[in-house]
């Protein structure tokens, strides 16, 4: 055997050993999910829902920081299907993100195995189906990432950990909603709200008097912000999408589309049953639903008027949002919880302003970012990038600043450099609350206010203790500013969490690029990656 050939083999072996060692010390958790249609009745009428292993909502994922999750998904629907992981950062691994820009859908009667790692994360997140309007039919579930035992959290262990998956629901099927949007129309107000897949008083949380409980609340709806409250009880906020917070007490909490919060609730009232209330925010007609907080020693059913909450008060919501602060003394998923830098001490190298709009294009309602309304190409962007396939997208096809010309349809991809530090301004001139999510990252929400953002707005930024999160709201005719370290190579979706807006174009992709092409910066294409569109006849890799 020649020395050159031997050297090549040795190099391959060393690389494979290095790759395996990345995850070798961390446990593996295996899941098998079967995706089917099934009848659900959350609003009192039969609807077709998307079930996972016969469940709506789907199975809960419980794991510990850095655990490896091996999730085999079998698609028994009669249409393609994808699952995305809201808030899981997919470090170096946008291949597993589960949106069409990175991943081919799972065809009917086929399966795909996701390989995820909750790398350096803790907190409350959820998964959901990302294709079309599937999210309106279910297929979602909770993800809870716990801290490692040797790394303390800044509160005593609760007596129990409850999941609350709340949000709006339509009685129309996801296909009917898609037809309305494809016809160029906006969706009407949802028909109702649900909690953990149930309607009015359909779900019960049982507590023991005197004990404290953790509630992990996610807004998994597609159209409306919500307000969460528990009759007669206060809530101590402890975590927001992976950030431990200052433990501020609230009587009610606004949760916008795609957001997740953790609160502690002490059962310190008389032994009765109490309403757990979710109501819509900023809607013409207030939608409300309830669950039940049942004291185990109670013989009294819930009754009487439901406790009211805020409805259209924007200023109230802004003040609450600004009151949510990072707990700087709390530990995190790593021994060095705040990392090697402080976000407020770094000067951004680039400012990006993103303005949402609702144009009509070719006589149909569309939504856009900086005047570009996104449409999916036939080939996932990540595959086109990896295989160097032309004609799928163009870098720089969306501007860093709002464009004043007519809106148009395209496949916008923004170029960005690995390890740069950016400031992003979400500018909203519409009359509705916007909710923005960025895959692959947590970012620091440094400021929000009414009117037009200007450089002078920076003087009001919180550069000390704002939270890091993955989803933020932008109030009507207002702006929200974030700082973000681009430390995760890949192709990442930036989107509206209002699903009709995303479906009709309010999204784009950020390509974070490293010229090193090193597996240290980005993992190689998965051997089992599905290939479709112009990538169909390519090959992944032999090892």
């Amino acid at each position: 055997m020649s020395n050159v050939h031997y050297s090549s083999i040795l190099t391959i072996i060393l690389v494979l050993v290095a790759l395996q060692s990345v995850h070798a010390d961390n446990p593996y958790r295996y899941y098998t999910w079967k995706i089917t249609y099934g009848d659900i009745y959350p609003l009192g009428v039969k609807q077709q829902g998307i079930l996972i292993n016969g469940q709506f909502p789907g199975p809960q994922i419980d794991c510990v920081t850095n655990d490896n999750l091996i999730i085999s998904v079998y698609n028994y629907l009669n249409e393609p299907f994808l699952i995305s992981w809201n808030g899981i950062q997919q470090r170096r691994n946008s291949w597993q993100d589960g949106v069409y820009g990175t991943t081919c859908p799972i065809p009917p009667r086929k399966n795909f195995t996701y390989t995820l790692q909750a790398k350096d994360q803790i907190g409350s997140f959820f998964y959901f189906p990302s294709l079309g309007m599937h999210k309106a039919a279910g297929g979602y579930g909770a993800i809870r990432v716990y801290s490692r035992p040797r790394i303390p959290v800044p509160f005593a262990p609760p007596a129990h950990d409850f999941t609350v998956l709340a949000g709006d629901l339509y009685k129309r099927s996801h296909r009917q909603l898609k037809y309305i949007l494809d016809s160029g129309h906006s969706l009407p107000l949802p028909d109702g709200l649900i909690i953990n897949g149930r309607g009015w008083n359909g779900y019960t949380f049982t507590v023991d008097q005197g004990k404290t409980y953790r509630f992990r609340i996610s807004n998994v709806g597609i159209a409306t912000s919500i307000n969460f409250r528990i009759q007669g009880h206060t809530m101590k906020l402890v975590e927001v999408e992976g950030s431990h917070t200052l433990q501020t007490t609230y009587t009610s909490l606004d949760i916008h589309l795609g957001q997740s919060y953790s609160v502690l609730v002490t059962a310190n009232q008389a032994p009765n049953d109490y309403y757990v209330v979710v109501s819509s925010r900023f809607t013409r007609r207030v939608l409300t639903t309830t669950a039940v907080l049942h004291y185990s020693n109670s013989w009294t059913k819930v009754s009487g008027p439901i406790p009211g909450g805020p409805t259209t008060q924007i200023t109230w919501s802004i003040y609450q949002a600004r009151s949510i602060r990072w707990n700087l003394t709390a530990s995190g998923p790593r021994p060095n919880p705040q990392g090697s830098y402080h976000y407020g001490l770094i000067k951004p190298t680039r400012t990006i302003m993103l303005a949402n709009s609702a144009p009509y294009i070719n006589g149909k309602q569309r939504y856009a970012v900086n005047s570009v309304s996104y449409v999916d190409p036939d080939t996932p962007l990540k595959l086109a990038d990896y295989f160097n396939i032309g004609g799928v997208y163009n870098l720089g096809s969306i501007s860093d600043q709002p464009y004043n010309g007519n809106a148009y349809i395209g496949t916008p991809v923004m170029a960005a450099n690995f390890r740069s530090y950016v400031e992003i301004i979400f500018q909203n001139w519409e009359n509705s609350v916007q909710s923005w999510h960025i895959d692959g990252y947590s970012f620091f929400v440094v400021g929000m206010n009414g009117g037009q953002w200007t450089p002078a707005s920076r003087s009001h930024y919180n550069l000390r203790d704002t939270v890091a999160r993955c989803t933020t709201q932008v109030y009507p005719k207002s702006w929200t500013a974030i700082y973000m370290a681009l430390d995760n190579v890949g192709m990442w979706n930036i989107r509206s969490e209002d699903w009709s807006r995303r479906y009709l174009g309010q999204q784009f992709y950020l390509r974070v690029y490293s010229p090193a092409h090193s597996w240290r910066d980005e993992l190689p294409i998965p051997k089992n990656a599905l290939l479709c569109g112009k990538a169909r006849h390519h090959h992944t890799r032999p090892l």
Side-chain angles (χ1 to χ4, degrees), residues 26 36 84 112 154 156 176 188 204 230 240 281-282 287 314 322 328 356 370 407 419 424 495:
N26 302 301
T36 61
S84 190
F112 177 73
Q176 291 171 315
T204 298
I230 300 177
V240 174
R281 288 286 268 128
F282 319 114
L287 305 173
I314 292 172
R322 288 174 176 165
L328 297 179
N356 50 275
N370 288 0
R419 294 201 177 100
I424 299 177
R495 63 173 177 265

Side-chain angles (χ1 to χ4, degrees), residues 175-253:
R175 294 187 187 89
Q176 291 171 315
L177 298 178
K178 183 175 178 293
Y179 176 79
I180 292 172
L181 296 173
D182 289 342
S183 300
H185 303 292
S186 300
L187 294 184
L189 187 70
D191 295 297
L193 302 176
I194 59 175
I195 298 173
N196 289 350
R198 308 290 181 87
W200 198 270
N201 284 353
Y203 196 90
T204 298
F205 302 95
T206 299
V207 298
D208 294 333
Q209 192 172 24
K211 293 183 179 180
T212 297
Y213 297 83
R214 183 174 185 171
F215 286 76
R216 299 176 186 254
I217 314 151
S218 296
N219 184 343
V220 294
I222 66 169
T224 58
S225 300
I226 60 173
N227 181 266
F228 180 87
R229 53 199 182 273
I230 300 177
Q231 182 183 25
H233 295 73
T234 58
M235 301 176 291
K236 183 182 293 183
L237 184 66
V238 294
E239 178 252 333
V240 174
E241 294 163 16
S243 289
H244 286 133
T245 63
L246 289 182
Q247 296 180 11
T248 306
T249 298
Y250 300 95
T251 56
S252 70
L253 196 60

Side-chain angles (χ1 to χ4, degrees), residues 95-301:
W95 303 106
Q96 305 290 341
D97 201 29
V99 290
Y100 191 74
T102 62
T103 313
C104 292
I106 307 170
R109 299 289 166 178
K110 300 293 183 180
N111 77 292
F112 177 73
T113 298
Y114 290 91
T115 303
L116 317 176
Q117 188 184 29
K119 179 66 176 170
D120 293 335
Q121 286 188 265
I122 55 168
S124 308
F125 312 99
F126 64 92
Y127 61 85
F128 67 95
S130 65
L131 279 188
M133 293 300 290
H134 282 164
K135 192 179 180 186
Y140 54 75
I143 304 174
R144 306 197 299 198
V145 185
Y146 293 94
S147 180
R148 286 183 168 184
R150 67 187 179 90
I151 300 178
V153 296
F155 49 88
H160 192 68
D161 202 328
F162 292 117
T163 290
V164 183
L165 298 174
D168 52 64
L169 187 69
Y170 288 86
K171 293 179 180 178
R172 294 175 176 89
S173 71
H174 71 90
R175 294 187 187 89
Q176 291 171 315
L177 298 178
K178 183 175 178 293
Y179 176 79
I180 292 172
L181 296 173
D182 289 342
S183 300
H185 303 292
S186 300
L187 294 184
L189 187 70
D191 295 297
L193 302 176
I194 59 175
I195 298 173
N196 289 350
R198 308 290 181 87
W200 198 270
N201 284 353
Y203 196 90
T204 298
F205 302 95
T206 299
V207 298
D208 294 333
Q209 192 172 24
K211 293 183 179 180
T212 297
Y213 297 83
R214 183 174 185 171
F215 286 76
R216 299 176 186 254
I217 314 151
S218 296
N219 184 343
V220 294
I222 66 169
T224 58
S225 300
I226 60 173
N227 181 266
F228 180 87
R229 53 199 182 273
I230 300 177
Q231 182 183 25
H233 295 73
T234 58
M235 301 176 291
K236 183 182 293 183
L237 184 66
V238 294
E239 178 252 333
V240 174
E241 294 163 16
S243 289
H244 286 133
T245 63
L246 289 182
Q247 296 180 11
T248 306
T249 298
Y250 300 95
T251 56
S252 70
L253 196 60
D254 277 356
I255 305 171
H256 302 276
L257 288 165
Q259 294 184 338
S260 297
Y261 290 80
S262 279
V263 297
L264 297 179
V265 177
T266 299
N268 55 7
Q269 300 300 304
N272 294 307
D273 285 4
Y274 297 87
Y275 286 114
V276 177
V277 186
V278 172
S279 58
S280 63
R281 288 286 268 128
F282 319 114
T283 54
R284 297 184 305 276
R285 177 170 60 88
V286 177
L287 305 173
T288 303
T289 195
T290 59
V292 176
L293 184 74
H294 168 67
Y295 278 55
S296 58
N297 57 343
S298 167
W299 297 95
T300 305
K301 300 295 184 182

Side-chain angles (χ1 to χ4, degrees), residues 349 417-421 485-488 512-514 520-521:
T349 56
N417 294 323
F418 182 43
R419 294 201 177 100
S420 61
Y421 194 71
L486 300 183
D487 58 358
N488 198 10
V512 180
Y513 175 74
S514 169
R520 180 185 59 190
D521 295 338

